[in-house]
Amino acid sequence: MKVVREIFGQIPGIGDASLYTITNSNGITLKITDYGGTIQSILVPDKNGKPGDVVLGFDSLEGYLQSHPYIGTIVGRCAGRISNASFILDGNQYRLAKNHGRNHIHGGTTGYDKVLWQASEFADKKGAGITLEYVSHDLEEGYPGYLRLRVTYTLDDDNQVCLDYQATTDKSTHINLTNHSYFNLNGAVAEVYDHELWIPSSRYVVTDQDLIPTGEIGSVEGGPLDFRSPKLIGKDINEVEGGFDLCYVLEGDGTEPLLAARVVHPESGRCMETFTTEPGIQFYSSNFLADIRGKERTPYRKHLALCLEAQHFPDTPNQPDFPSTLLRPGETYNQRTMYKFSNV
Ligand code: BGC
């Protein structure tokens, strides 16, 4: 396997962004740009061997430079909402960018989705990919600590796209990284209502009307949020206002990636499994997606895709009972999330 690099476009005042293409021996092709560490495309064969692009995105860098809802990007320093755009750490209050009403979302105004990462390529027998590095300075978007980040994307011959995240800091801080790919296993020709989803989780993070966690953990038992048996996304979506946008509680201990979700598109026979070391997975049925044209000028609209964002729970810096997002100097933040493709 090898990595092919091409120039993707120019970021005004910053420099060239590249697009990296990796193909495995089963016909899966992954494209990533160093702008925002963004997955631009994943071509996956259907049950008859016909490749189709399973993620939303844009054909050119210009699409990514416009305002868009984190399509395919890395999200950080903290994914999800942080209430009142602030938190207290070791007695100091940190005020973050208010980029979502009075709250903070997905790392702020210029989060890790809008920066140029430094990329290096690698290829070995197990797979090929790129390593992206970025240094986030002290108080960037309001977060304390000079943070050194490294995210590695690998495609292998087991049809897995593996994302490995690492970070170290010089001051105590909070960190909660994820990837914000919008998946549609049928190439974005229709809403994801005909995708079957399985999430083996009985609990979720309860939120208020602004999608800020209340601190309670709820049970999915028997309601529309219950995906413990495979269920079509369209079946109960109208019972949930706007659609699905919630964080499921996962039961792993953070050491080995565990299977957190499986999505099947029966007609094409494409299947995607998500494995993660994280304690939560945000299932978002692209409820707010609107007014944007994506690849081949396709109008991107509500419910056209689903995100499965492996992460810690939203607003963890203000929720002492949630699994911690605290990173202290001398510690290393580690996360591994895999998207594995197959045919059924
Ligand atoms: C959140 C949504 C938000 C979307 C785009 C998702 O992670 O759960 O509420 O609209 O990101 O910002």
Side-chain angles (χ1 to χ4, degrees), residues 69-70 81 105-106 180 182 211 245 282 284 288 309 311:
Y70 309 89
R81 289 162 176 81
I105 193 169
H106 292 336
H180 209 294
Y182 288 67
L211 294 175
D245 195 356
Q282 182 85 16
Y284 171 56
F288 305 112
E309 305 154 50
Q311 57 192 194

Side-chain angles (χ1 to χ4, degrees), residues 143-155:
Y143 290 94
Y146 179 92
L147 196 69
R148 289 180 177 277
L149 296 137
R150 176 189 286 239
V151 183
T152 302
Y153 295 76
T154 314
L155 173 66

Side-chain angles (χ1 to χ4, degrees), residues 79-81 176 199 201-221 225 240 244-251 278-283 309 311-323 325:
R81 289 162 176 81
N176 187 10
I199 299 180
S201 166
S202 58
R203 298 183 300 144
Y204 74 103
V205 177
V206 178
T207 54
D208 67 13
Q209 68 284 356
D210 292 330
L211 294 175
I212 298 290
T214 61
E216 286 163 87
I217 299 295
S219 164
V220 299
E221 183 81 49
L225 308 177
V240 188
F244 299 101
D245 195 356
L246 72 153
C247 188
Y248 286 89
V249 176
L250 303 174
E251 305 296 346
E278 288 298 280
I281 192 160
Q282 182 85 16
F283 165 38
E309 305 154 50
Q311 57 192 194
H312 278 58
F313 308 164
D315 205 24
T316 292
N318 294 309
Q319 291 287 354
D321 294 336
F322 287 179
T325 49

Side-chain angles (χ1 to χ4, degrees), residues 320-332:
D321 294 336
F322 287 179
S324 178
T325 49
L326 197 57
L327 182 69
R328 300 276 189 198
E331 297 173 346
T332 302

Side-chain angles (χ1 to χ4, degrees), residues 81-87 102-104 212-213 315 318-319:
R81 289 162 176 81
I82 295 185
S83 58
N84 296 312
S86 81
F87 58 78
R102 61 195 173 95
N103 301 317
H104 172 91
I212 298 290
D315 205 24
N318 294 309
Q319 291 287 354

